[in-house]
Amino acid sequence: MKQRLLVVLSVMLVGCAGEQSAPATPPAPQQVAIHAVDFAFHGPDTISAGMTTFVMENAGAVLHHVQIVRLDSAKTYADLMAAMARPGPPPAWAVMMPGPNAPDPTMRSNATLNLAPGNYALICLVDIPGGVPHVAKGMSKPLTVIPATAGTVAAAAPTADVTIDLSDYAFTLSKPLTVGAHTIAVTSKGPQPHEVEIIKFQPGKTMEDLGKWMQKPEGPPPASAIGGTSAQMPGTTAYFTVDLTAGDYALVCFIPDAKDGKVHIEHGMIQTFTLQ
Ligand SMILES: [Cu+2]
């Protein structure tokens, strides 16, 4: 009843404005396909601004993700590559924005966020195997976001059924995750940047097994990477969809700490859960 009333109202409003051709509901976010291989990204060079769903297909043999970097202060992709080649944290004009976090090889992950026009880069900060971030092996790509065509109806943000807030050093869920499909809204509360990665343990395996494997990746991994959203600065929200099956899981954050350089998981930023 309420929905019908809203539809009637919006039809009346559209009618008053004389824009008969305008759709009553905003369109779905634009989809951008990113093909990840060892060690490169393939995808469009230019996209329009607005709500955007990145879908990353991991066609490599190892884990990859997409870290979106917004280049402020008129900085360019070349400036970022030069800065990344120097030791130390990234410069303040390189603003971490969430992209699809790591899925296992042959799998896909996704992230939806609102992009303003500007210069961006896609980089992979995964450093398994060997401890060298893949961006240092050439896994990066420039992306230009141009203003949306005048008159286009802006896409709406996805409707989430669960929210996850990221903070130093915790994941706070609006309600427990369950078996099935979810649209999850991830908001960083800071003060540090954080990510969320969902991992699913092989039967009988634990975080300790995964820690050992990450140090020395030999044999089959004790957990599967499912996806999530990569690092984001405080105050931003991104969305991802996931279809969960029964098993043992953890939410983890591998971002290095601003104070001691240890990954956030070592500061307790891990939350395990079991789905039946
Ligand atoms: Cu973190």
Side-chain angles (χ1 to χ4, degrees), residues 167-169 171 192-195 253-255 264-265 269:
S167 58
D168 300 9
Y169 302 95
F171 300 100
Q192 294 195 35
H194 298 289
E195 67 175 340
C253 175
F254 292 108
I255 303 300
H264 286 171
I265 191 168
M269 196 159 177

